[in-house]
């Protein structure tokens, strides 16, 4: 009986069996001996449970947890150190790549005159020397003398180098110079300006060049006029003045610079010939003016004239041309809008019967419609 009850106590279903016995005992009360035996079984069960709890070694559990914690901590430190090393190496590689692709700019030697000198220089121009700035700066005085002699200036004027600049990683130097009167608080004489303007126009059109010491400075290129009082006028086609019967005078404005048109002279000539419908006995001349006196800044005023080389004119042809030109600016005066931009301020005057005028004097005037 005792063995059966013990098995029931430790069977997986002991708890449900115990409840069943308790219900059975409540229905059928047992004798004192039977109750004593049941109590002994309960006490034995409690002793077995206590013994099982004592068999569990708390130090072993603590040691196992300590080992696991130490291992995880060491593993975490290892991975942290690896990540730090990886990040440092990656950052160093990134910096090397950046400095290789974008090397730090070196402080290149340069020269810049005082601001007051820049303000007083009413005539300014620039050109390019294919020499590093370090070699040009040491010969600045020689450069000023060579420019002065090349421009054939008078003794009451002087040349001052305003700046010497070497752009970025290039191997050339941008030279900016000014022409000033020798005496302060004076202006350049009119005859000096006339001679100087002619020299600048020829240099810009590459009909002449600055006579610099070649062994020291090399050959100057890319001459540009930056500032000239009274404006600057150039003849991009290089046509000689013509005489005859003047039949048309025209003018319009383009939002481009003289330098930009200089590279498109042939295209300008061809398109103007088409819109003017020139006859075999006719010729035309065009001049370009920048009223700021700059070849690098817009706008440009285009002035031209058509001259008949014979002493007779065809009035019907001249009248037809006038009717065609009456359409601008809608037809952009026959010029390609994508190349020369929009034609503005168009004016023209036709002379059906012709009038004898020299083209030089005509192009110095502003025609009225």
């Amino acid at each position: 009986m005792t063995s059966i009850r013990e098995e029931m106590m430790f069977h997986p279903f002991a708890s449900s069996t115990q409840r069943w016995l308790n219900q059975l005992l409540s229905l059928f009360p047992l004798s004192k001996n039977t109750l004593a035996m049941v109590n002994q079984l309960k006490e034995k069960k409690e002793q077995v449970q206590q013994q099982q709890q004592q068999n569990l070694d708390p130090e072993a559990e603590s040691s196992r947890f300590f080992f696991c914690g130490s291992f995880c901590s060491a593993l975490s430190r290892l991975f942290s150190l690896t990540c730090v090393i990886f990040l440092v190496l990656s950052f160093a590689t990134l910096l090397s790549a950046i400095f290789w692709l974008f090397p730090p700019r070196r402080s290149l030697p340069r020269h810049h005159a005082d601001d007051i000198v820049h303000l007083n220089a009413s005539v300014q121009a620039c050109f390019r020397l294919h020499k590093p700035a370090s070699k040009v700066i040491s010969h600045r005085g020689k450069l000023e003398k060579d420019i002065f002699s090349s421009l054939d200036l008078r003794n009451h004027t002087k040349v001052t180098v305003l700046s010497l600049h070497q752009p970025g990683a290039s191997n050339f130097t941008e030279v900016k110079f000014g022409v000033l009167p020798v005496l302060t608080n004076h202006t350049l004489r009119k005859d000096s300006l006339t001679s100087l303007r002619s020299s600048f126009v020829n240099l810009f059109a590459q009909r002449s060049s600055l006579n610099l010491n070649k062994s020291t400075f090399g050959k100057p290129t890319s001459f540009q006029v930056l500032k000239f009082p009274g404006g600057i006028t150039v003849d991009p086609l290089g046509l000689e003045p013509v005489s005859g019967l003047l039949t048309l005078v025209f003018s319009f404005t383009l939002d481009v610079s003289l330098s930009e048109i200089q590279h498109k002279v042939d295209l300008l000539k061809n398109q103007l010939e088409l819109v003017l419908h020139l006859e075999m006995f006719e010729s035309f001349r065009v001049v370009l003016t920048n009223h700021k006196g700059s070849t690098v800044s817009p706008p440009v005023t285009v002035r031209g004239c058509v001259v008949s080389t014979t002493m007779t004119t065809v009035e019907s042809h001249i009248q037809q041309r006038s009717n065609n030109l009456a359409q601008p600016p809608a037809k952009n005066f026959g010029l390609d809008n994508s190349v020369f931009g929009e034609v503005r301020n168009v004016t023209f005057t036709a002379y059906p019967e012709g009038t004898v005028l020299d083209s030089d004097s005509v192009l110095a005037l502003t025609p009225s419609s």
Side-chain angles (χ1 to χ4, degrees):
M1 182 68 177
T2 303
S3 61
I4 294 174
R5 288 182 178 270
E6 289 178 357
E7 290 179 1
M8 292 177 63
M9 293 294 293
F10 297 102
H11 195 272
F13 302 100
S15 59
S16 60
T17 306
Q18 182 66 34
R19 287 195 300 271
W20 179 77
L21 287 174
N22 291 335
Q23 292 176 1
L24 186 62
L25 290 174
S26 63
L27 294 175
F28 304 98
L30 300 177
S31 62
K32 292 182 179 180
N33 294 332
T34 304
L35 289 174
M37 185 175 59
V38 171
N39 291 332
Q40 290 178 0
L41 290 173
K42 289 182 178 180
E43 292 176 359
K44 191 171 184 180
K45 175 185 175 184
E46 293 175 357
Q47 291 176 0
V48 171
Q49 290 178 348
Q50 291 178 0
Q51 186 176 1
Q52 288 178 348
Q53 291 179 356
Q54 291 176 359
N55 290 335
L56 296 175
D57 189 359
E59 294 183 358
E61 289 292 326
S62 176
S63 176
R64 184 165 64 253
F65 282 115
F66 176 76
F67 174 76
C68 292
S70 300
F71 177 76
C72 292
S73 178
L75 190 63
S76 176
R77 287 196 299 270
L78 177 62
F79 276 105
S80 298
L81 181 60
T82 304
C83 291
V84 169
I85 295 175
F86 177 77
L87 289 175
V88 170
L89 292 177
S90 300
F91 185 70
T93 304
L94 179 62
L95 284 180
S96 301
I98 291 175
F99 282 114
W100 182 75
L101 293 174
F102 307 100
R105 294 184 178 180
R106 295 177 299 168
S107 179
L108 297 175
R110 59 182 302 169
H111 164 75
H112 191 275
D114 294 337
D115 292 339
I116 189 65
V117 178
H118 280 262
L119 293 175
N120 291 335
S122 59
V123 175
Q124 297 181 16
C126 68
F127 58 90
R128 181 175 295 179
L129 292 177
H130 294 272
K131 297 281 186 177
S134 58
K135 294 185 178 181
V136 178
I137 290 177
S138 57
H139 299 283
R140 182 164 55 90
K142 172 63 176 173
L143 179 61
E144 291 175 344
K145 291 180 180 179
D146 286 357
I147 296 174
F148 182 90
S149 60
S150 297
L151 297 176
D152 194 22
L153 296 174
R154 305 292 189 268
N155 291 331
H156 54 267
T157 58
K158 65 178 180 180
V159 170
T160 299
V161 173
L162 301 176
S163 67
L164 295 171
H165 172 60
Q166 182 175 343
S170 64
N171 60 350
F172 59 84
T173 300
E174 295 284 358
V175 180
K176 179 180 177 182
F177 71 93
V179 179
L180 301 89
V182 174
L183 300 177
T184 57
N185 299 325
H186 283 67
T187 58
L188 294 174
R189 298 179 183 178
K190 187 176 181 179
D191 58 339
S192 297
L193 287 175
T194 301
S195 174
L196 189 57
R197 182 183 285 108
S198 177
S199 297
F200 275 14
V201 169
N202 289 329
L203 288 169
F204 170 72
Q206 299 181 6
R207 299 182 188 124
S208 64
S209 61
L210 293 171
N211 186 21
L212 307 181
N213 187 289
K214 291 185 178 180
S215 61
T216 305
F217 304 112
K219 183 180 179 180
T221 60
S222 306
F223 185 89
Q224 299 287 346
V225 184
L226 303 177
K227 185 179 178 182
F228 206 102
I232 194 85
T233 299
V234 299
D235 179 0
L237 303 179
L239 301 177
E240 295 294 331
V242 292
S243 298
L245 293 179
L246 181 69
T247 60
L248 177 71
V249 177
F250 60 88
S251 173
F252 54 86
T253 302
L254 296 175
D255 194 25
V256 293
S257 67
L258 290 172
S259 182
E260 290 176 295
I261 296 181
Q262 184 74 10
H263 299 294
K264 306 167 185 175
V265 170
D266 292 336
L267 184 60
L268 176 68
K269 178 177 181 293
N270 294 335
Q271 293 187 2
L272 285 177
E273 285 179 346
L274 290 176
V275 74
L276 293 174
H277 298 287
L278 297 177
E279 296 289 350
M280 294 293 295
F281 52 85
E282 290 180 321
S283 63
F284 79 102
R285 189 183 180 199
V286 172
V287 295
L288 311 175
T289 300
N290 179 273
H291 296 288
K292 300 177 183 178
S294 171
T295 59
V296 295
S297 301
V300 169
T301 299
V302 181
R303 291 178 294 171
C305 64
V306 177
V307 177
S308 174
T309 56
T310 66
M311 297 308 294
T312 59
T313 61
V314 181
E315 294 187 18
S316 60
H317 171 68
I318 297 174
Q319 188 62 46
Q320 181 62 39
R321 175 190 291 149
S322 299
N323 294 336
N324 293 336
L325 295 179
Q327 301 301 321
K331 290 187 177 181
N332 216 53
F333 211 81
L335 300 183
D336 189 344
N337 191 19
S338 63
V339 176
F340 297 100
E342 181 184 359
V343 172
R344 298 182 288 109
N345 305 325
V346 178
T347 60
F348 67 93
T349 301
Y351 300 91
E353 298 180 358
T355 179
V356 179
L357 285 176
D358 181 70
S359 61
D360 278 336
S361 60
V362 170
L363 295 181
L365 304 175
T366 301
S368 58
S369 56

